[in-house]
Amino acid sequence: MKVIELYILRRTVAIFAAALAWVLIIVWTTQVLNRLDLVTSSGQTASTFFAVAALALPAVIPIIMPFAIGIAVAQTLATMNADSELVVVSAAGSPRITVVRPILILAITASIAAFAINNSLEPYARQKLRQILAGANADLITTVLQEGAFQKVDDGLFVQISERLPNGELSGIFVADSRDKDMKLVYHARRGATVERETGSVLVMQDGEVQRQSKNGDVSIIRFDSYAFDLSQFTSAGGRPTLYPKDRYLPYLFDPSPEDVFYVDNPQSFRAELHMRLSEWLYPIVFALIGIAVAGDARSFREARLHPMITTMAIGLLVRWGGFYSGNEAETIPFFSFMLYAVPIGMGLVSVGFIATNRVMELPTSWTEKWFARMRRDREVLARLGLRLQRIVRLKGGSA
């Protein structure tokens, strides 16, 4: 590589690493906060929480990697343009590929990394995460329930125990089940115990009663000597996780097991996931091409209505939204499996067309004019509010 290409590559990699780190921290934090209930409501240890937080990373990295590439390319080229470096490169007779090559090297490397993470590390992390969550649910009754505290098992289902007896039995069992809108059930038993079966956990309650309230308000009370409450649907068959298409490795998506219940019920979801795995790795390259098409030419900043990074991210968001939408629709409509490839490849070809013809890719003029008009109105409103606040402060100061 030439000296100028190494220079561009170093600057782009530095900005890419910084952007990836900061965006990853923000997105990862939001994902981790969604898992706080694993500790607060399920009684898991802090180590389990940090393990879940670490396992959430592989699913986040491939999503934000294209945006980090777009930010790095747009910012690098915009800075070089502002410092007249692109003008010098062009005046020195260097071909356009001098600027494009180092950026494509980084983008292709990122795409390969995204493909590897999507098809190896992410399925592994998802399966481990499923096992942790299934194990947490499996331990819910036997180890997690606290004496005298209501524990939410599912939406509309709460369990409380008064005391744990030395022999492993439970005393003072209370279960409130309002999952069925037409029937509300309240169980109360003097004692009971959990029994593990092949199908999952069963809560056996003894010497108690169940109150049933129908939709019209009628209440009936039935006493029982022994009653078994099935908990297997909440414990994932004794802690064995249920795996979905996103949790599977790529070879399995090519040849799903005919005994897979989820595959039998919805085979199209497996096909959609397969096409997503084979198409999503293209987005780092597409975002890099968008950044080059937007900011790769030497030009005066007077011609630019918006900063190249804003334009790149706006176009990239539209393209990525098209990919996400196609992925969701492909789970039920096979045609959108084709769109999963058409969106990134089509945008890539459009960007290549702009680059080859030395045209600048920009948002429509009407959009930018509306944007600047809105910004001017907002500044005027803020300026008026500032003047009013200053007058109020002066009046209060004078009266004091």
Side-chain angles (χ1 to χ4, degrees):
M1 295 179 67
K2 301 177 182 179
V3 175
I4 185 61
E5 292 177 349
L6 290 173
Y7 171 75
I8 295 173
L9 181 61
R10 283 198 302 269
R11 293 191 64 168
T12 309
V13 169
I15 299 176
F16 167 72
L20 181 65
W22 281 109
V23 178
L24 180 61
I25 290 172
I26 296 172
V27 177
W28 179 61
T29 301
T30 60
Q31 295 295 318
V32 169
L33 292 177
N34 292 333
R35 299 296 183 182
L36 277 177
D37 58 343
L38 182 66
V39 176
T40 58
S41 64
S42 299
Q44 299 299 305
T45 62
S47 61
T48 302
F49 171 75
F50 286 115
V52 171
L55 291 173
L57 276 173
V60 174
I61 294 175
I63 296 177
I64 66 175
M65 194 175 288
F67 295 96
I69 287 285
I71 292 172
V73 173
Q75 182 61 31
T76 298
L77 296 179
T79 303
M80 293 181 64
N81 187 33
D83 296 338
S84 300
E85 292 174 334
L86 290 182
V87 176
V88 173
V89 172
S90 178
S94 298
R96 187 75 178 278
I97 194 65
T98 303
V99 176
V100 175
R101 184 186 291 118
I103 293 174
L104 287 183
I105 290 175
L106 175 61
I108 293 172
T109 303
S111 293
I112 294 173
F115 183 84
I117 294 173
N118 265 331
N119 294 286
S120 59
L121 189 57
E122 183 179 351
Y124 171 81
R126 285 182 177 273
Q127 291 185 17
K128 295 293 291 185
L129 183 60
R130 296 284 184 192
Q131 291 175 3
I132 292 175
L133 297 179
N137 288 332
D139 293 339
L140 183 63
I141 301 299
T142 57
T143 62
V144 172
L145 283 182
Q146 299 178 359
E147 298 178 357
F150 281 94
Q151 177 67 54
K152 181 179 179 181
V153 179
D154 192 24
D155 291 336
L157 180 62
F158 295 85
V159 180
Q160 181 199 35
I161 59 172
S162 298
E163 184 182 3
R164 292 183 182 273
L165 301 179
N167 57 0
E169 293 186 350
L170 307 175
S171 174
I173 302 173
F174 180 86
V175 179
D177 186 359
S178 59
R179 292 171 295 166
D180 189 350
K181 296 181 180 180
D182 298 331
M183 181 71 68
K184 295 182 180 179
L185 302 173
V186 176
Y187 303 86
H188 182 269
R190 293 182 180 274
R191 63 184 184 279
T194 56
V195 179
E196 293 294 332
R197 297 179 179 177
E198 293 183 357
T199 57
S201 300
V202 175
L203 177 62
V204 179
M205 295 179 285
Q206 298 176 341
D207 189 14
E209 63 182 26
V210 54
Q211 301 178 8
R212 299 181 178 179
Q213 182 179 1
S214 60
K215 188 175 182 179
N216 58 11
D218 296 337
V219 178
S220 61
I221 300 176
I222 301 175
R223 297 191 58 83
F224 57 81
D225 294 327
S226 179
Y227 188 93
F229 191 86
D230 187 12
L231 297 171
S232 60
Q233 57 180 315
F234 311 110
T235 60
S236 300
R240 291 191 298 273
T242 300
L243 298 181
Y244 298 94
K246 287 185 177 296
D247 308 323
R248 299 294 188 177
Y249 289 98
L250 187 61
Y252 187 91
L253 294 176
F254 276 106
D255 186 21
S257 172
E259 298 179 356
D260 192 327
V261 177
F262 198 91
Y263 173 72
V264 173
D265 292 339
N266 191 6
Q268 180 59 32
S269 63
F270 279 77
R271 301 188 192 101
E273 179 63 23
L274 173 61
H275 292 299
M276 288 181 65
R277 297 279 187 89
L278 297 177
S279 61
E280 287 195 336
W281 66 276
L282 296 170
Y283 283 98
I285 298 176
V286 173
F287 273 63
L289 292 174
I290 294 174
I292 297 172
V294 170
D297 275 332
R299 57 173 174 166
S300 171
F301 270 87
R302 295 177 181 178
E303 301 176 5
R305 296 179 180 273
L306 288 175
H307 192 279
M309 185 185 298
I310 298 177
T311 304
T312 301
M313 288 296 98
I315 297 174
L317 283 171
L318 291 175
V319 174
R320 202 64 186 92
W321 173 85
F324 285 133
Y325 178 80
S326 299
N328 292 332
E329 293 297 319
E331 295 182 0
T332 54
I333 304 175
F335 168 76
F336 282 93
S337 297
F338 163 77
M339 294 300 298
L340 286 170
Y341 300 95
V343 171
I345 293 176
M347 191 63 222
L349 293 176
V350 171
S351 301
V352 169
F354 274 89
I355 297 171
T357 56
N358 293 323
R359 290 183 296 164
V360 177
M361 182 183 294
E362 290 183 320
L363 295 175
T365 305
S366 59
W367 294 12
T368 57
E369 289 178 349
K370 291 180 180 179
W371 170 268
F372 282 111
R374 180 60 183 268
M375 291 181 63
R376 283 195 297 270
R377 289 196 298 268
D378 292 342
R379 284 198 298 266
E380 292 173 357
V381 171
L382 291 175
R384 288 196 295 268
L385 288 176
L387 291 175
R388 290 179 182 178
L389 290 174
Q390 291 178 2
R391 292 173 183 174
I392 293 173
V393 171
R394 290 174 181 174
L395 290 175
K396 288 185 176 180
S399 60

